[in-house]
């Protein structure tokens, strides 16, 4: 078993029992963290000199539609109806298995490049088992840790057909995956179910899907994006919770329009909430749910969501979530007639916790990732502290949350394997160049078939 010692300039562990250090070491044995501290004495196979770097847990992206990587920025000026009309009702229907493979591979490599070691890939344009298998191939080829959340397509309803809102998750397909390549959960890419939920499907479909996920011992995750008047099954989450069908094995994404009573019930039931703050600030009237989840005792979670509309960089999502939470706290305090606070209402460490511990909890992997704790997987990121936007480092945590960006990422280790080093990804460049060309051809074909063209700015 390979043993690697990282000599750290600054070490941010996100483990309260361990703390943070200056001039510390991290010992890796195989794919796990063996020890963290100062003056570790160990015989090792490799030493990594990170004495001019900030060493931290890998960021986790708890919600991203990775298959859309080839459509980056085409919807930067869209609103919600534009997204659904252009993507789900048109372009998504043109994607085949190879198109998904290319998007997932290039999208995952982009996440690794930006310091993300784990994603929850909410793959919701699937129409066949081959479609799903090739999507997973793209994730696995990249080397990223992922939860592959198997979703279903949302095409326009043709005459005489049942709308997707009334169609349960395909049991045959999810069972084939669970009994096939995902028979074991001891693997880098694991399986989940991306279900409609009561905002996008009938209550009967939601109940059937959650029961299927539990039968197969899978996390389920659903979009909760609609105002009550637009929901397919208003009050459906409350009904599910009261039936005992909502717990830590269910993740809700967004939740902006869920009222406090229902939100409190869901948090108390153990469900997690993932806010995609940049996307939500872009196109929703109701605010991100982070502060309300926090108020009711939950741990917020954050993710990117849709790269056609917002950046895929988790450092920016984390910073956006932090700044929104601070602003909203100050606004609410003033609206209540209280005197100005004497300290900042949301500490920066909380935002990093959302992007690590909170996201690990939301995707069901808290016992494996999210902190640099001995026994957890060796998912580690190193930032160059000598980069001029970070130098000089006074507090490494504040440098991470308030100053850093993807360009500062020097080294990425996933499951004990180096996937980026000296600022260069460890992936065959010739293969990537070929996949880039194939992705461009894929997207051009999809847009041509969909009679879609970008409008001039």
């Amino acid at each position: 078993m390979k043993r690697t010692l990282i000599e750290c300039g600054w070490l941010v562990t996100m483990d309260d029992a361990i703390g943070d250090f200056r001039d510390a070491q991290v010992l890796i044995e195989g794919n796990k963290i063996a020890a963290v501290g100062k003056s570790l004495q160990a015989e090792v196979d490799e030493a990594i000199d990170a004495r001019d770097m900030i060493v931290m847990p890998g960021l986790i992206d708890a919600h991203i539609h990775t298959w859309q990587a080839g459509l980056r920025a085409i919807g930067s000026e869209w609103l919600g109806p534009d997204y659904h009309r252009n993507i789900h009702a048109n372009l998504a229907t043109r994607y085949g298995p190879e198109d998904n493979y290319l998007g997932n591979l290039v999208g995952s490599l982009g996440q690794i490049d930006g310091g993300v070691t784990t994603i929850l890939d909410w793959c919701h344009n699937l129409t066949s088992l081959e479609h799903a298998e090739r999507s997973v191939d793209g994730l696995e080829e990249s080397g990223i840790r992922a939860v592959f959340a198997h979703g279903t397509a949302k095409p326009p309803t043709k005459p005489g057909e049942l709308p997707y809102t009334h169609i349960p998750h395909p049991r045959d397909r999810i069972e084939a995956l669970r009994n096939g390549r995902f028979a074991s959960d001891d693997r880098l890419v694991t399986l989940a179910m991306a279900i409609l939920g009561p905002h996008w499907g009938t209550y009967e479909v939601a109940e059937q899907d959650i029961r299927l996920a539990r039968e197969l011992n899978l996390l389920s995750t659903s979009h909760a994006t609609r105002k009550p008047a637009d929901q397919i099954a208003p009050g459906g989450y409350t009904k599910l919770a009261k039936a005992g069908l909502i717990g830590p094995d269910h993740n809700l994404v967004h939740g902006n329009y869920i009222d406090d009573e229902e939100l409190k019930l869901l948090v108390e039931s153990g469900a997690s909430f993932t806010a995609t703050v940049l996307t939500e600030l872009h196109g929703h009237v109701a605010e991100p749910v982070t502060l309300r989840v926090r108020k009711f005792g939950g741990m917020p979670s954050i993710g990117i969501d849709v790269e056609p509309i917002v950046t895929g960089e988790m450092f920016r999502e984390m910073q956006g979530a932090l700044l929104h939470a601070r602003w909203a706290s100050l606004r609410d305090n003033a609206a209540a007639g209280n005197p100005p606070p004497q300290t900042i209402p949301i500490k920066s460490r909380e935002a990093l916790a959302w992007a690590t511990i909170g996201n690990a909890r939301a995707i069901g992997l808290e016992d494996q990732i999210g902190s640099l704790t001995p026994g957890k997987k060796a998912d580690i990121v190193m930032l160059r502290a000598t980069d001029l936007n970070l130098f000089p480092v006074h507090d490494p945590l504040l440098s991470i949350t308030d100053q850093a960006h993807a360009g500062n990422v020097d080294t990425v280790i996933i499951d004990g394997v180096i996937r980026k080093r000296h600022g260069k990804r460890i992936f065959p460049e010739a293969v990537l160049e070929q996949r880039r060309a194939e992705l461009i051809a894929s997207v051009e074909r999809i847009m041509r078939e969909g009679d879609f063209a970008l409008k001039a700015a």
Side-chain angles (χ1 to χ4, degrees):
M1 182 182 296
K2 183 179 179 180
R3 290 158 61 87
T4 302
L5 186 70
I6 304 172
E7 295 280 357
C8 314
W10 296 264
L11 178 61
V12 176
T13 68
M14 294 310 292
D15 185 324
D16 292 340
I18 296 174
D20 301 338
F21 299 91
R22 183 78 168 93
D23 300 324
Q25 295 87 35
V26 176
L27 178 63
I28 301 171
E29 292 184 353
N31 68 345
K32 292 186 177 181
I33 298 168
V36 173
K38 286 179 170 286
S39 303
L40 299 180
Q41 303 297 318
E43 293 289 330
V44 297
D45 302 293
E46 181 180 6
I48 296 176
D49 185 356
R51 287 175 294 178
D52 61 352
M53 299 186 200
I54 301 169
V55 179
M56 59 177 284
L59 295 176
I60 301 167
D61 185 346
H63 185 81
I64 184 170
H65 305 297
T66 320
W67 61 271
Q68 298 176 353
L71 305 176
R72 288 188 176 115
I74 69 168
S76 295
E77 295 182 342
W78 287 351
L79 292 173
D82 301 315
Y83 170 79
H84 289 281
R85 180 177 63 255
N86 289 317
I87 299 293
H88 288 297
N90 185 9
L91 299 181
T93 67
R94 322 285 173 177
Y95 271 70
E98 292 306 305
D99 303 309
N100 263 42
Y101 159 76
L102 292 167
N104 269 17
L105 174 59
V106 174
S108 296
L109 289 172
Q111 290 286 294
I112 293 171
D113 229 16
V116 171
T117 53
T118 301
I119 62 173
L120 185 139
D121 175 35
W122 225 94
C123 200
H124 62 339
N125 72 331
L126 303 175
T127 56
S128 69
L129 181 59
E130 183 186 5
H131 221 147
E133 296 277 12
R134 288 300 281 154
S135 300
V136 177
D137 289 343
L139 298 174
E140 293 187 335
E141 189 175 333
S142 77
I144 202 164
R145 186 183 303 280
V147 175
F148 175 69
H150 178 283
T152 51
K154 296 156 185 63
T157 304
K158 296 178 182 178
E161 285 187 349
L162 201 62
Y164 71 82
T165 54
H166 290 60
I167 301 175
H169 215 80
R171 172 180 279 271
D172 58 342
R173 198 187 308 160
I174 201 73
E175 283 185 338
L177 291 167
R178 188 57 164 150
N179 296 328
R181 74 195 297 173
F182 292 108
S184 169
D185 292 327
D186 186 20
R187 59 197 317 279
L188 198 60
V189 180
T190 53
L191 183 64
M193 284 174 55
I195 68 173
L196 292 173
H199 283 203
W200 290 92
T202 67
Y203 178 82
E204 292 73 23
V205 165
E207 179 179 354
Q208 184 170 330
D209 289 351
I210 287 177
R211 290 189 185 280
L212 176 58
R214 286 193 168 176
E215 177 187 333
L216 299 177
N217 194 28
L218 297 174
L219 173 79
S220 59
T221 173
S222 61
H223 282 137
T225 56
R226 288 181 153 180
K227 299 173 183 177
D230 298 326
Q231 295 169 18
I232 303 299
Y237 283 111
T238 294
K239 188 175 178 182
L240 288 167
K242 290 183 176 179
L245 295 174
I246 297 289
D249 56 354
H250 190 71
N251 166 251
L252 293 92
V253 186
H254 308 302
N256 308 59
Y257 302 101
I258 291 178
D259 64 30
D260 277 359
E261 182 179 358
E262 187 168 49
L263 182 67
K264 185 173 185 292
L265 173 63
L266 293 168
V267 171
E268 290 176 347
S269 297
S272 64
F273 278 82
T274 300
T276 63
V277 175
L278 296 181
T279 301
E280 291 160 15
L281 293 179
H282 170 96
H284 284 275
V285 175
E287 290 182 50
V289 77
T290 44
L291 283 183
R292 292 197 295 143
V293 168
R294 183 176 177 269
K295 178 177 72 173
F296 294 129
M299 168 71 86
S301 165
I302 56 176
I304 293 298
D305 201 8
V306 285
E307 288 189 277
I309 294 177
V310 299
T311 176
E313 188 181 327
M314 272 300 293
F315 283 100
R316 287 173 65 182
E317 174 66 27
M318 176 172 59
Q319 291 158 2
L322 174 60
L323 292 177
H324 169 263
R326 284 178 173 168
W327 171 82
S329 296
L330 294 171
R331 176 206 58 196
D332 294 346
N333 184 72
N338 298 325
Q342 298 303 300
T343 59
I344 198 78
I346 308 291
K347 299 287 189 180
S348 295
R349 185 174 291 272
E350 280 200 57
L352 186 54
W354 300 342
T356 53
I357 299 294
N359 283 355
R361 184 177 301 172
I363 67 176
L365 296 177
E366 187 182 6
D367 62 333
Q368 299 183 47
I369 58 174
S371 65
L372 300 185
T373 302
K376 285 192 175 183
K377 302 291 188 181
D379 288 6
I380 302 171
V381 165
M382 305 175 205
L383 309 179
R384 289 183 301 274
T386 53
D387 284 1
L388 292 183
N389 67 301
L390 293 183
F391 179 85
V393 172
H394 300 291
D395 182 321
L397 185 130
L398 299 181
S399 294
I400 293 168
T401 56
D402 295 71
Q403 303 289 331
H405 57 65
N408 302 128
V409 176
D410 180 272
T411 302
V412 177
I413 298 174
I414 302 174
D415 208 45
V417 178
I418 297 174
R419 296 296 180 179
K420 184 178 185 180
R421 193 169 198 175
H422 306 313
K424 303 290 186 182
R425 74 187 73 81
I426 310 299
F427 188 86
E429 193 60 33
V431 174
L432 180 55
E433 284 305 308
Q434 181 179 345
R435 298 295 177 262
R436 279 179 170 140
E438 291 168 351
L439 180 62
I440 289 295
S442 161
V443 170
E444 287 178 347
R445 189 205 82 246
I446 287 165
M447 289 184 176
R448 186 170 59 252
E449 290 179 358
D451 194 25
F452 174 87
L454 286 175
K455 295 180 181 178

